[in-house]
């Protein structure tokens, strides 16, 4: 696959996935079109070696290929990632006393960099529960796509110290403005949602809305930037980029080994949910494949988790924020994330495996370690590794501006990681670096 094709598919995926629910749905459709069968958690399964399956749950997706040549007990090559990104979540009721404007309150979802949400066209997407005329309950994905919301800055003249210190109060300052009413009667949110349902699902016109999870997002298209187009700027690169790489790699994996994607929702808010990495979803699916038997324990022992989540590249304007002995550059290959406190699950064995796989694929790797006087972030790797006991490496594509509404990576980085992940899935067996005494 060449860079242009890969990036076009990535950009399409990002644009079609404003929320984790959309991302899971798009990935589900892609996998179905490539021969995967969708499983229902509420029905009995009849799995067969050599077949490919997927399951979704609340914005999470697990897909797996049962190798034709190897029993599940020989282990799964797993790729982990998360489907959610930091953003602003709309509250159920609109803000009062804002007449004639329709203004909604928001909650901060995850560790969003708040000031990046000012002064840009915003859209809304999420899911809405409603009852159709026949009394059937439905949960619909909706996406306004158009810029229907905006959060203007306060003018410089009204806050002269803004460039020295910008304190953003989510409750007071980040309420998106959606409309201006006529004669003091703005549209209400339910009417807007009903109109959107009718436009996307004409057959459901008149359905009664019972609830919604609605999020602001940046509808600006991903773009290639720089004099030589060295960089990619896009919303939600963390972590839709990793989801795209994992899914495309799984789709081209050979039939001999067992491979699995575990893409979970709610990483940005701690992963504790029915569909998060700390929830039951991965373990339930593994138990249904393997049974709660010794065979499952053997399988987990032989499995390996490549936990993909973007990594911090050294920022040219803030070099002192990263360890100068461990500089990470864009366009220089995947980053292995290391932390003494196991905020990343990488250990010497798992890092060595990843380095060897990458070098065999002709790809250089880099190491990220936090400055020793700063607190390190984390990802799903340590959580999944602790829950399942699987050997894990945390790795990711280098990026700038993580958790901004728009993030940046190198133009060659997605394909470099993709090549590495493809080799990880297709190598005849995984190299192991067993301890000499164990
Ligand atoms: Zn992430």
């Amino acid at each position: 696959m060449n860079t242009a094709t890969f990036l076009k598919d990535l950009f399409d995926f990002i644009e079609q996935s404003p929320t984790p629910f959309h991302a899971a749905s798009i990935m589900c459709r892609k996998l179905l079109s490539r021969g995967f069968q969708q499983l229902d958690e509420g029905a009995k399964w009849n799995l067969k070696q050599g077949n490919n399956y997927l399951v979704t749950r609340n914005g999470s997706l697990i897909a797996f290929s049962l190798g034709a040549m190897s029993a599940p007990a020989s282990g799964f090559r797993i790729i982990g990632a998360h489907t959610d990104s930091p953003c602003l979540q709309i509250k159920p009721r609109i803000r009062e006393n804002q007449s004639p404007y329709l203004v909604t309150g928001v909650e901060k979802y995850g560790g969003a960099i708040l000031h990046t949400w000012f002064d840009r066209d915003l859209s809304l997407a999420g899911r809405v529960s409603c009852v159709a005329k026949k009394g059937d309950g439905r949960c619909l994905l909706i996406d306004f796509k158009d810029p229907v919301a905006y959060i203007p800055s306060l003018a410089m003249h009204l806050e002269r110290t803004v460039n020295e210190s910008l304190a953003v109060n989510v409750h007071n300052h980040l309420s998106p403005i959606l409309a201006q009413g006529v004669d003091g009667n703005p549209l209400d949110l339910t009417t807007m949602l009903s109109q959107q349902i009718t436009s996307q699902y004409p057959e459901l016109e008149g359905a009664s809305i019972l609830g919604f999870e609605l999020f602001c997002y940046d509808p600006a298209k991903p773009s290639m930037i720089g004099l030589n187009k060295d960089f990619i700027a896009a919303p939600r690169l963390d972590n839709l980029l990793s989801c795209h790489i994992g899914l495309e790699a799984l789709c081209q994996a050979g039939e001999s080994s067992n491979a699995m994607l575990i893409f979970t929702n709610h990483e940005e808010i701690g992963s504790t949910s029915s569909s998060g990495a700390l929830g039951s979803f991965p373990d339930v699916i593994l138990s249904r494949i393997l049974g709660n038997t010794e065979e499952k324990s053997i399988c987990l022992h032989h499995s390996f988790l490549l936990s993909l989540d973007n990594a911090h590249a050294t920022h040219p304007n803030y070099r002192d924020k990263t360890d100068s002995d461990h500089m990470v550059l864009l366009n220089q290959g995947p980053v292995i994330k290391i932390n003494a406190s196991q905020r990343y699950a990488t250990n010497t064995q798992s890092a060595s495996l990843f380095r060897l796989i990458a070098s065999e694929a002709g790809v250089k790797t880099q190491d990220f370690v936090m400055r020793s006087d700063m607190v390190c972030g984390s990802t799903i790797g340590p959580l999944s590794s602790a829950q399942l006991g699987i050997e894990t490496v945390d790795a990711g594509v280098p990026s700038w501006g993580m958790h901004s509404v728009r993030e940046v990576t190198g133009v060659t980085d997605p394909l470099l990681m993709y090549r590495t992940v493809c080799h990880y899935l297709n190598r005849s067996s995984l190299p192991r670096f067993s301890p000499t005494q164990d």
Side-chain angles (χ1 to χ4, degrees):
M1 186 175 301
N2 65 40
T3 301
T5 306
F6 193 80
L7 293 184
K8 183 189 177 305
D9 290 348
L10 169 66
F11 290 1
D12 288 347
F13 174 53
I14 289 173
E15 280 191 71
Q16 292 165 12
S17 305
T19 76
F21 310 113
H22 290 80
S25 171
I26 294 289
M27 289 191 286
C28 175
R29 266 192 275 159
K30 279 189 185 184
L31 290 167
L32 289 174
S33 73
R34 298 182 198 185
F36 281 70
Q37 301 170 42
Q38 186 164 11
L39 298 168
D40 176 358
E41 282 199 81
K44 278 190 174 294
W45 296 355
N46 182 23
L47 305 177
K48 292 193 171 63
Q49 287 299 123
N51 286 353
N52 305 320
Y53 302 95
L54 73 98
V55 200
T56 61
R57 191 199 278 193
N58 266 333
S60 295
L61 176 141
I62 293 179
F64 53 97
S65 300
L66 296 178
M69 313 286 284
S70 48
S74 62
F76 277 95
R77 298 184 196 181
I78 304 173
I79 301 163
H82 63 89
T83 56
D84 59 326
S85 303
C87 63
L88 304 176
Q89 181 166 358
I90 304 292
K91 288 187 172 181
R93 294 190 186 168
I94 62 166
R95 299 207 75 165
E96 291 187 357
N97 305 320
Q98 298 286 3
S99 179
Y101 303 108
L102 174 59
V103 178
T104 66
V106 295
E107 287 185 279
K108 182 165 70 81
Y109 179 92
I113 302 178
L114 295 177
H115 70 79
T116 62
W117 289 82
F118 285 109
D119 305 324
R120 61 178 66 230
D121 301 354
L122 297 173
S123 191
L124 300 174
R127 55 183 188 176
V128 180
S129 299
C130 61
V131 176
K133 280 185 182 149
K134 293 181 211 153
D136 302 334
R138 297 284 300 273
C139 187
L140 310 170
L141 293 182
I142 63 162
D143 182 359
F144 283 78
K145 293 183 185 293
D146 289 334
V148 294
Y150 202 86
I151 309 169
S153 287
L154 182 63
M156 175 73 185
H157 317 75
L158 304 180
E159 184 62 81
R160 295 278 181 189
T161 60
V162 65
N163 289 332
E164 286 77 57
S165 59
L166 175 63
V168 181
N169 180 304
V170 178
H171 191 78
N172 292 332
H173 305 149
L174 273 182
S175 299
I177 300 166
L178 304 184
Q180 179 166 6
V182 178
D183 299 330
N185 290 313
L187 276 173
D188 64 83
L189 200 52
T190 307
T191 305
M192 280 184 72
L193 289 172
S194 293
Q195 290 173 351
Q196 187 60 28
I197 289 174
T198 302
S199 123
Q200 285 185 238
Y201 306 91
E203 71 281 10
L204 292 176
E205 185 173 5
S208 306
I209 294 172
L210 294 175
F212 60 82
E213 284 166 273
L214 204 56
F215 304 87
C216 286
Y217 76 94
D218 176 7
K221 292 179 182 301
S223 56
M224 285 158 69
I225 55 175
L227 275 177
N228 300 314
K229 306 279 186 237
D230 288 326
F231 314 113
I232 294 166
R236 302 180 296 286
L237 282 175
D238 173 16
N239 194 18
L240 293 182
L241 173 52
S242 301
C243 290
H244 182 68
I245 289 169
L247 184 136
E248 292 298 325
L250 179 68
C251 287
Q252 65 71 56
E255 293 182 349
S256 59
S257 61
N258 304 297
M260 179 177 283
L261 306 179
I262 301 180
F263 292 169
T264 49
N265 194 1
H266 297 145
E267 188 268 351
E268 301 291 359
I269 52 170
S271 290
T272 300
S273 74
S274 68
S275 55
L278 281 179
S280 63
F281 191 37
D283 189 52
V284 163
I285 301 307
L286 281 162
S287 295
R288 293 190 68 163
I289 298 169
L290 299 157
N292 286 309
T293 61
E294 192 171 27
E295 190 177 55
K296 178 183 166 191
S297 300
I298 294 169
C299 173
L300 295 180
H301 177 81
H302 289 302
S303 296
F304 188 88
L305 171 60
L306 171 53
S307 165
L308 293 182
D309 202 352
N310 295 352
H312 301 296
T314 304
H315 192 310
N317 299 344
Y318 296 89
R319 280 179 181 257
D320 60 334
K321 292 292 182 185
T322 44
D323 184 343
S324 59
D325 299 321
H326 298 85
M327 189 141 88
V328 171
L329 298 173
L330 302 188
N331 292 310
Q332 291 296 312
V335 183
I336 298 169
K337 299 189 266 185
I338 298 162
N339 180 252
S341 301
Q342 284 285 289
R343 301 281 290 166
Y344 302 129
T346 308
N347 62 27
T348 180
Q349 293 137 284
S350 62
S352 301
L353 184 149
F354 187 80
R355 284 193 193 103
L356 182 61
I357 295 277
S359 75
E360 287 177 351
V363 175
K364 287 192 294 185
T365 58
Q366 311 181 75
D367 293 335
F368 173 82
V369 193
M370 201 73 176
R371 276 184 65 110
S372 305
D373 51 4
M374 289 172 65
V375 176
C376 187
S378 192
T379 179
I380 58 160
L383 311 180
S384 303
S385 177
Q387 292 270 300
L388 302 171
I390 298 177
E391 185 97 278
T392 300
V393 64
D394 274 303
V397 164
S399 70
W400 290 327
M402 192 180 292
H403 291 194
S404 166
V405 73
R406 204 165 168 86
E407 302 167 325
V408 175
T409 189
V411 71
T412 62
D413 286 313
L415 207 59
L416 291 173
M417 180 63 94
Y418 171 73
R419 275 168 45 195
T420 307
V421 178
C422 285
H423 186 51
Y424 162 68
L425 294 182
N426 287 322
R427 198 180 195 271
S428 57
S429 64
L430 285 186
R432 290 294 192 166
F433 301 86
S434 304
T436 48
Q437 302 170 353
D438 207 300

